[in-house]
Amino acid sequence: MTDITAGGVSAPLRRVEFDTPAAKARLRGRYRSEARFKSYGIIALCIAATFLIALLASIFSRGIPGFFQHYLVTEVLVDAAKIDPQGKGDAATLRAGDYTAVARAALAEAVPGVEGRQMKKELNSLLSSGAGDALREQVIANPSLVGQRIKVPLLLADEADLFLKDSGTKLLVLSETRGIATPSAKTGEITILVGANDFADDIAVVKAELKALAASIDETVALRKERGATPESLDSLVKEAVELRRRYDAAATSETLDSKTASRLVAINGGIVKIKEMSPTSVKGEVILPLKSTDDAAPGTWGIRVYETPESNRNLNDLGVTFLEELKAKGLVESQFNFAFFTRGDSREAELAGIQGALVGSILTLLVTIGLCLPIGVLAAIYLEEFAPKNWITELIEININNLAAVPSIVFGLLGLAVFLNFFGMPRSAPLVGGLVLALLVLPTIIIASRAALKSVPPSIREAALGVGASKQQAVFHHVLPLAMPGIMTGTIIGMAHALGETAPLLMIGMVAFIVDVPSTLSQSATVLPVQIFLWSDLPEPAFKMKTAAAIMVLLAVLFVMNGLAIWLRKKFERRW
Amino acid sequence: MDMRPDPLVMMTTQAPTHATLSAPTKVAAKNVNVFYGAKQALTNVSVEIPEKSVTAFIGPSGCGKSTFLRCINRMNDTVDSCRVEGLIQIDGKDIYDPALDPVQLRARVGMVFQKPNPFPKSVYDNVAYGPRIHGLSRSKAELDQIVEQSLRKASLWEEVKDRLSDSGTGLSGGQQQRLCIARTIAINPEIILMDEPCSALDPIATARIEELMEELRKNFTMIIVTHSMQQAARVSQRTAFFHLGILVETGSTSDIFTNPVDKRTQDYITGRFG
């Protein structure tokens, strides 16, 4: 024990050298390797931060417009004839009233002089099918509004909203002075005559557009050929290019405008005419907004408008664009924060679709999950950590719990489908079943987190409690569990955040249905936030892209709040011992 | 084997007899063997501990003195691999009797640990915890009284009376250890076990704890494990020397330190090893 000299003959021990060149080189090497390691860490952090910022920037730039919506803010005559013809004034009658007609009347008033069925249909399609909903609620709340003129915001349809948000087409106003123009009539199909070759330049521009279009079709044909398309399948494209070239080569006497090139309109005498045929000295077209007179228009008082995106590449046709521009010019269009996004359920109309149904569905589902997971998970962890004998059975259970945490979530969905839906016959698409499935998914996480939290409580606390004659259960519940609680809560909240973002298992149990109603009980059909995002991202309407990004923002906000709560809980209840 | 008496057994069994016992025996151990799995930690320990006195267990690290201490309140039961053989009696009753509840036993045999381990609760709740779970008070006033008395007995009252609601872990090391003593005496045990109670404390805090032991001896049977022979000499009336899992020698403290029978005891107390 005390014989330090044991081992007798060995190499003489050397001192650490510190001023030889070799020692200095070693020191420099050590500093270098430390600096290298630090720089690797910083680079890794920078890369992660870049990705995060790019992701958030992309989501925010798409999502923020999704929280706003354009409205037609105008005076509306709450017409008793349309809402309450018999003058009953009770809520049921007021609810059944034709508010769409009221809204349409207000729109017609805002854009006067629109004639013809087709035109009126186009005008009305600017309004959302739910434009009258807000008005209905207002009138039901205050029946005295019937017969009055009130200023209310009327929801615009998603195409109109989208057009206003990212200006679906560039509007060019050609204002160079041309000669005197004479329209032949105020409405209908008219001809406008001009003196000189005023439209020759415009025809040249159109021909250039045709040429560019033909060239781009050629490119497409070449590309498809390269990829092995049969000549027959490309026939129509080739013919189209040939036709475009023929038009381009033809003499510049007259040109028919169609939806493949930019739309051209003449603004003259307070009205707007869409050009259909163009020659150097005259244009033929259809009146969209009626002219005030057929007088000669002096040079400088009339001009040409160009909608650069060809009509066939737009969601809103020339009529819609013209009406919207008219409304915008009158200052009747307003962008407002879309509160309805948080108070409505899903809808097939993008402008009416809201997140509340999914949000409530998520909350109900998570309530079921936490209600099951927390007690079962914590009690299981306490039993395994504090009471269970350490033998091969408990070891097997522990291994299996760890394995369960790594099982792909879709498998839990299949289990839920087989057990909860098919065997127990629980309702399809219900938050109850969703919560049960997610509970299965999260349970291992909570057990593992709780066990880690219990393990981190120093054994001296258990000994102290046992030492004053507390039973094992008293020691655990009075002392160990309260100390482990912050860790358990953190684990639980992170598990819940995981459950909140889970989609795959819920698809299996039918929570992927299109559900308009906001659920209020656990057995009603519902969907959840991530599934709603999945559903919207799948829809063809471009307006749903914004809704998708906005819904992602809501989901992220909920996740941040939950994680923030976890950190706050940990900080608040963290105790030192 | 039987023909040649084991000198150790002879000595340990004889040891108490040649010391004059001034007080009746409180704790008696006969041929106690303790195993951790296959490893034997204690071999044939037999000892008698008199009432209302301080008995010190000394010996080098790993000699089994703490293990034996933890057998007396069955704290070793919490270690799965631990197995205790032999007889340990308190007031003549076997404490490993299956009919006896170890939790109740621990209420009768309090323990103070090496590292101060107050609950991360208020000073008041630390002391009140034992009386609460054992139902020792019928009213809040009575509980207040128990807390005050216990803190006074642990000579901590004057220091903490104005901050009873502060956390027990915010006290200094020596105060924390006295708080742990107050917590132990709040349930009025018959025996107090102390496992190196001063090893984490500075000399001044140690001196206060030692004064306290002298005071507590009047009401409690105390057994302390210590590494410090000076401490054993200062506070104890009887001393037991453990070495490599066997009880080498036991006797009155003055005898052990001035006139040890065994050579190993002599080597240890004179600082030749350990």
Side-chain angles (χ1 to χ4, degrees):
Chain A
M1 257 175 275
T2 48
D3 47 355
I4 313 162
T5 51
V9 276
S10 61
L13 290 170
R14 292 200 305 180
R15 281 253 155 70
V16 176
E17 291 166 352
F18 57 90
D19 52 1
T20 61
K24 281 176 180 162
R26 214 164 35 240
L27 187 66
R28 275 197 302 278
R30 204 179 72 211
Y31 285 158
R32 259 202 310 278
S33 96
E34 260 180 39
R36 214 162 36 234
F37 180 76
K38 270 190 208 163
S39 62
Y40 290 155
I42 291 169
I43 290 169
L45 275 180
C46 287
I47 293 173
T50 314
F51 280 125
L52 182 67
I53 289 168
L55 177 78
L56 288 182
S58 150
I59 291 171
F60 275 60
S61 64
R62 280 158 199 251
I64 287 171
F67 289 113
F68 293 88
Q69 192 81 45
H70 283 90
Y71 292 86
L72 172 67
V73 184
T74 183
E75 288 228 321
V76 175
L77 171 65
V78 188
D79 194 349
K82 290 183 178 116
I83 289 165
D84 190 9
Q86 275 116 44
K88 284 182 188 162
D90 60 312
T93 316
L94 291 177
R95 190 167 288 282
D98 189 355
Y99 293 89
T100 308
V102 172
R104 284 179 176 175
L107 179 62
E109 215 174 286
V111 188
V114 176
E115 301 285 333
R117 226 180 120 255
Q118 180 63 24
M119 292 262 194
K120 280 189 175 156
K121 203 180 144 208
E122 288 299 334
L123 180 61
N124 287 337
S125 75
L126 290 182
L127 278 181
S128 163
S129 59
D133 290 358
L135 182 62
R136 172 182 287 123
E137 298 307 320
Q138 224 172 319
V139 171
I140 290 169
N142 182 8
S144 70
L145 291 176
V146 176
Q148 290 188 28
R149 289 184 76 87
I150 52 171
K151 202 162 186 172
V152 286
L154 301 171
L155 190 60
L156 290 178
D158 56 344
E159 289 92 359
D161 181 56
L162 213 57
F163 175 83
L164 292 165
K165 270 174 187 163
D166 61 14
S167 53
T169 177
K170 207 165 141 196
L171 179 76
L172 281 184
V173 180
L174 305 178
S175 51
E176 70 262 39
T177 312
R178 298 161 199 257
I180 295 168
T182 316
S184 65
K186 284 197 257 185
T187 58
E189 302 276 331
I190 67 166
T191 309
I192 302 172
L193 296 169
V194 288
N197 276 356
D198 268 350
F199 293 129
D201 291 350
D202 297 290
I203 291 175
V205 173
V206 173
K207 283 193 182 292
E209 274 175 37
L210 290 172
K211 192 184 176 187
L213 202 56
S216 84
I217 291 175
D218 285 348
E219 257 174 48
T220 313
V221 169
L223 197 72
R224 291 220 187 144
K225 262 189 192 151
E226 230 171 73
R227 288 183 188 159
T230 56
E232 300 85 59
S233 67
L234 298 171
D235 249 12
S236 62
L237 278 175
V238 173
K239 272 185 194 154
E240 200 184 331
V242 168
E243 168 64 16
L244 286 169
R245 287 226 162 71
R246 189 197 58 72
R247 282 172 63 186
Y248 170 68
D249 291 335
T253 50
S254 165
E255 191 58 58
T256 312
L257 300 186
D258 56 20
S259 63
K260 292 199 182 74
T261 55
S263 303
R264 288 176 159 72
L265 300 96
V266 179
I268 184 168
N269 289 351
I272 293 202
V273 184
K274 184 189 170 186
I275 301 174
K276 289 190 164 167
E277 211 180 310
M278 208 175 202
S279 72
T281 55
S282 73
V283 291
K284 278 186 190 160
E286 189 186 19
V287 174
I288 298 180
L289 293 173
L291 281 57
K292 291 207 172 67
S293 72
T294 54
D295 300 343
D296 292 351
T301 61
W302 66 280
I304 291 189
R305 281 192 197 179
V306 183
Y307 301 156
E308 281 210 317
T309 315
E311 199 175 16
S312 59
N313 294 355
R314 260 187 267 140
N315 289 305
L316 200 61
N317 61 19
D318 289 342
L319 295 173
V321 174
T322 310
F323 294 142
L324 263 189
E325 291 296 337
E326 177 72 9
L327 288 172
K328 221 164 97 178
K330 286 186 177 170
L332 296 177
V333 175
E334 251 178 51
S335 176
Q336 293 180 359
F337 188 79
N338 187 6
F339 289 104
F341 185 63
F342 297 99
T343 58
R344 276 176 173 277
D346 197 5
S347 169
R348 284 288 180 231
E349 307 293 333
E351 74 276 8
L352 294 175
I355 200 82
Q356 201 198 11
L359 207 55
V360 173
S362 270
I363 290 168
L364 291 176
T365 306
L366 285 189
L367 281 180
V368 174
T369 306
I370 199 165
L372 278 169
C373 266
L374 194 60
I376 295 178
V378 171
L379 293 178
I382 290 175
Y383 176 74
L384 285 173
E385 197 56 44
E386 304 284 337
F387 293 97
K390 301 275 175 284
N391 55 27
W392 66 270
I393 299 175
T394 45
E395 226 158 81
L396 193 72
I397 291 172
E398 188 173 346
I399 291 169
N400 275 306
I401 288 171
N402 290 340
N403 282 343
L404 271 183
V407 167
S409 57
I410 190 115
V411 176
F412 286 103
L414 284 167
L415 180 77
L417 176 65
V419 176
F420 299 130
L421 294 190
N422 293 344
F423 187 74
F424 288 112
M426 288 181 175
R428 201 164 272 279
S429 314
L432 177 65
V433 183
L436 284 168
V437 168
L438 291 180
L440 292 177
L441 183 74
V442 175
L443 202 51
T445 317
I446 291 187
I447 294 177
I448 291 169
S450 304
R451 287 189 69 177
L454 289 169
K455 214 174 264 179
S456 71
V457 176
S460 65
I461 296 296
R462 292 179 185 83
E463 286 190 333
L466 296 179
V468 292
S471 70
K472 202 159 181 178
Q473 194 191 341
Q474 284 170 328
V476 169
F477 283 92
H478 294 167
H479 300 289
V480 179
L481 191 58
L483 286 173
M485 223 47 202
I488 293 175
M489 291 314 291
T490 310
T492 306
I493 291 172
I494 287 169
M496 285 297 119
H498 176 194
L500 177 66
E502 200 54 71
T503 322
L506 301 180
L507 302 185
M508 303 307 300
I509 53 153
M511 288 190 89
V512 70
F514 170 71
I515 290 143
V516 176
D517 294 325
V518 176
S520 54
T521 66
L522 291 177
S523 54
Q524 262 178 320
S525 287
T527 189
V528 294
L529 277 172
V531 175
Q532 185 72 76
I533 290 167
F534 168 75
L535 284 171
W536 282 352
S537 70
D538 229 19
L539 291 175
E541 287 93 335
F544 273 112
K545 278 186 196 156
M546 276 178 198
K547 294 281 167 183
T548 308
I552 290 173
M553 282 173 67
V554 172
L555 179 63
L556 283 182
V558 176
L559 285 175
F560 285 152
V561 168
M562 285 178 79
N563 286 341
L565 197 67
I567 292 168
W568 180 75
L569 275 175
R570 195 166 50 207
K571 285 263 175 288
K572 184 162 194 287
F573 294 107
E574 206 167 47
R575 290 199 186 123
R576 277 178 299 143
W577 46 72
Chain B
M1 281 297 279
D2 282 342
M3 298 307 291
R4 195 170 58 88
D6 187 343
L8 282 177
V9 173
M10 275 182 62
M11 188 171 56
T12 48
T13 45
Q14 284 163 1
T17 53
H18 65 67
T20 46
L21 291 177
S22 55
T25 300
K26 184 75 186 170
V27 181
K30 288 194 184 77
N31 295 329
V32 174
N33 291 293
V34 179
F35 302 86
Y36 288 114
K39 187 178 165 287
Q40 187 160 12
L42 280 179
T43 312
N44 278 336
V45 172
S46 299
V47 69
E48 286 180 13
I49 289 162
E51 199 177 23
K52 292 188 180 159
S53 66
V54 179
T55 303
F57 291 173
I58 59 170
S61 291
C63 65
K65 54 195 188 302
S66 286
T67 300
F68 184 61
L69 190 77
R70 293 165 68 95
C71 288
I72 299 171
N73 69 344
R74 291 186 63 176
M75 209 60 172
N76 278 336
D77 288 16
T78 59
V79 181
D80 279 339
S81 62
C82 184
R83 191 159 49 86
V84 180
E85 285 173 3
L87 184 67
I88 300 177
Q89 292 174 319
I90 292 177
D91 292 338
K93 288 201 181 106
D94 180 11
I95 61 166
Y96 281 86
D97 185 339
L100 186 133
D101 177 41
V103 173
Q104 277 183 348
L105 173 73
R106 286 185 208 124
R108 287 168 58 202
V109 186
M111 189 158 189
V112 176
F113 297 85
Q114 182 173 1
K115 205 173 147 245
N117 58 352
F119 300 128
K121 295 173 188 266
S122 71
V123 171
Y124 184 94
D125 285 339
N126 260 286
V127 182
Y129 180 68
R132 270 188 192 136
I133 59 170
H134 295 297
L136 298 185
S137 65
R138 274 177 297 273
S139 65
K140 175 84 175 73
E142 206 175 335
L143 188 61
D144 287 349
Q145 213 177 349
I146 292 174
V147 170
E148 183 180 338
Q149 273 173 9
S150 305
L151 285 170
R152 274 191 199 285
K153 277 188 210 159
S155 65
L156 190 62
W157 175 253
E158 292 302 322
E159 290 158 66
V160 299
K161 64 182 177 189
D162 298 325
R163 43 182 181 143
L164 287 175
S165 56
D166 289 7
S167 173
T169 51
L171 301 177
S172 75
Q175 287 173 328
Q176 285 188 19
Q177 194 63 298
R178 275 180 280 146
L179 177 62
C180 292
I181 293 172
R183 182 176 68 190
T184 305
I185 56 187
I187 52 171
N188 199 16
E190 297 157 37
I191 302 165
I192 299 177
L193 309 176
M194 293 188 173
D195 190 354
E196 297 180 41
C198 302
S199 66
L201 304 181
D202 66 65
I204 294 167
T206 302
R208 295 207 60 171
I209 303 269
E210 287 178 4
E211 278 168 33
L212 187 56
M213 287 183 203
E214 187 59 33
E215 192 61 33
L216 293 175
R217 175 162 77 88
K218 292 171 193 157
N219 297 311
F220 303 98
T221 304
M222 311 214 359
I223 306 173
I224 72 163
V225 163
T226 178
H227 263 127
S228 157
M229 278 170 285
Q230 290 84 348
Q231 185 172 58
R234 282 195 298 267
V235 300
S236 71
Q237 285 72 54
R238 292 182 61 79
T239 299
F241 172 62
F242 286 75
H243 184 229
L244 299 176
I246 51 179
L247 177 58
V248 176
E249 188 171 352
T250 177
S252 77
T253 301
S254 53
D255 283 352
I256 293 275
F257 279 95
T258 55
N259 192 16
V261 176
D262 196 279
K263 182 165 184 307
R264 287 167 296 181
T265 315
Q266 193 172 11
D267 285 352
Y268 183 70
I269 60 170
T270 53
R272 211 150 307 160
F273 72 88

